[in-house]
Amino acid sequence: MSVVRKSGTGLRRSLPWSGCILRNMGAGVTGRKFSASPLPSEEASLYVHWPYCLKRCSYCNFNKYISRDVNHAEMRACLQLEIETLLRVSQVSRITSVFFGGGTPSLAPPSTVAAILETVARRADLPVDAEVSLEINPTPVGLASLEEFRLSGVNRFSIGVQSLHDEALRVLGRDHNSQDALHTIAEAQRLCPGRVSVDVIFGRPGQTVESWEAELTELLSACDDHVSLYQLTLERGTRLFKQVEAGQLTMPGDDVTAHMYESARRILGKRGFLQYEVSNFARNGAVSSHNISYWKAGQYLGVGPGAHGRFIPRQEGALLREARTQTLEPDVWMKEVRCRGHGTRRRIQLGPLALGPTVPCPTRPFSACRLEEVLAMGLRLVEGVSHRRWKEFSPDADLHQVFGLSTEVQDLQKRGLLVLDDRGLRCSWGGLVLLDSLLPPLLLQLQAYHDHQGASG
């Protein structure tokens, strides 16, 4: 487990369908086109990256930039243009969900969010009930903009609370306090009841199991129906890493953080939250449909500086999915978008399996193998990888053929860490905690099966 990104004027004139939003606040963005159900290859989710922050947190190594002079009009125009380009290249006709992440996307003008959604709705089918999420930094500025973001079409808020202890927030370099967080949660719940997620970090410097349990209990008394837990990971080059290296701060040991995770699962379960992914818990069905599309290997378009995407560029006659990364630096990205309609810096074809004898590695940023991604991402889900999902990507070899005869996989089943049955392949309750150590032997078996089939064929 590791910490992952979790981390106006004229508004109504910018939306030709804003009146419909006001009449259908409970349903999300409206004024969208309806169509018959498209093929899976014709639909995708959309991730929009807003790269700017007011400051950098002590633990953060994400692609973000501290700028006091953002050209909002230019950024908005480039995001719209890149969306249009990637929709055309992919020939995606239906966007199933939209996620605004960053950076701090709540620093963007709500009119920018509205304009982006209008562009999507104009170029593709954006269903009335599509999930439209926005990451919120729970500062007074973020709180003041919530209602405008709701009117712009956002129907789900993801709030980076991280901690309810002010001293911990100071150590993490956050620019809000616990009262800011509680006020933001309350207002977000008023605007989007049942569709508010809170992010919280455990394994922080000086944190104990007892203090963590008390903090989580306090948070659950105020939060909505979705919680994301992330274990703090020290990243080289960050201020927090340097402080720990210098002995100024002490991190909890692995046994302590493992205890924290287990106690959190227990506390959340008692409060009615069901775990559906390694880090994510929901009650009343409030799962993140956008993130589930990642874990189930759905197509997604990534727009904005440093965004990642996975889709088939059908306009170019391609049949294989590509992994794409957009240019990191905002100014360079904008120049590229103005020049050629998009800022794609890197493209890698994702074949059925990695080519050659190289052992798959779950930590490398890009995998040249669709099945590796299906396996590594799908096993993050409590439900795992279903036979139907696997068959979509591996029509010639089912899960039993690939993994069923492996002595190592059989041993993991005997130890109660892995389950392979008529539902598919998944981690057990205890195995989910050890996912990072379970993946390497599974990926090795996947490669071994591929090599054997190649040699015999």
Side-chain angles (χ1 to χ4, degrees), residues 103-124:
T104 307
S106 54
L107 293 176
S111 56
T112 291
V113 170
I116 287 171
L117 294 176
E118 180 186 350
T119 297
V120 175
R122 188 172 61 248
R123 300 294 183 181

Side-chain angles (χ1 to χ4, degrees), residues 401-420:
Q401 289 174 290
V402 177
F403 300 105
L405 298 179
S406 165
T407 56
E408 193 152 16
V409 172
Q410 291 173 359
D411 179 61
L412 292 173
Q413 293 184 82
K414 290 177 183 177
R415 291 164 56 193
L417 300 176
L418 199 66
V419 179
L420 176 59

Side-chain angles (χ1 to χ4, degrees), residues 316-392:
E316 301 170 2
L319 297 176
L320 292 179
R321 181 183 300 211
E322 288 186 353
R324 292 193 173 205
T325 304
Q326 310 308 96
T327 293
L328 292 174
E329 305 85 353
D331 291 343
V332 179
W333 171 83
M334 283 189 278
K335 289 179 182 177
E336 293 178 356
V337 172
R338 287 195 299 267
C339 178
R340 50 192 171 94
H342 65 87
T344 302
R345 176 62 60 92
R346 189 178 187 188
R347 298 172 58 175
I348 297 180
Q349 277 197 342
L350 300 176
L353 277 169
L355 303 177
T358 304
V359 174
C361 173
T363 59
R364 67 177 182 244
F366 281 108
S367 165
C369 167
R370 293 196 307 267
L371 291 180
E372 289 178 22
E373 291 194 345
V374 171
L375 185 68
M377 298 300 286
L379 287 181
R380 293 183 62 90
L381 291 167
V382 170
E383 68 180 59
V385 182
S386 69
H387 289 290
R388 179 179 177 181
R389 175 63 60 179
W390 184 261
K391 188 176 181 179
E392 290 178 11

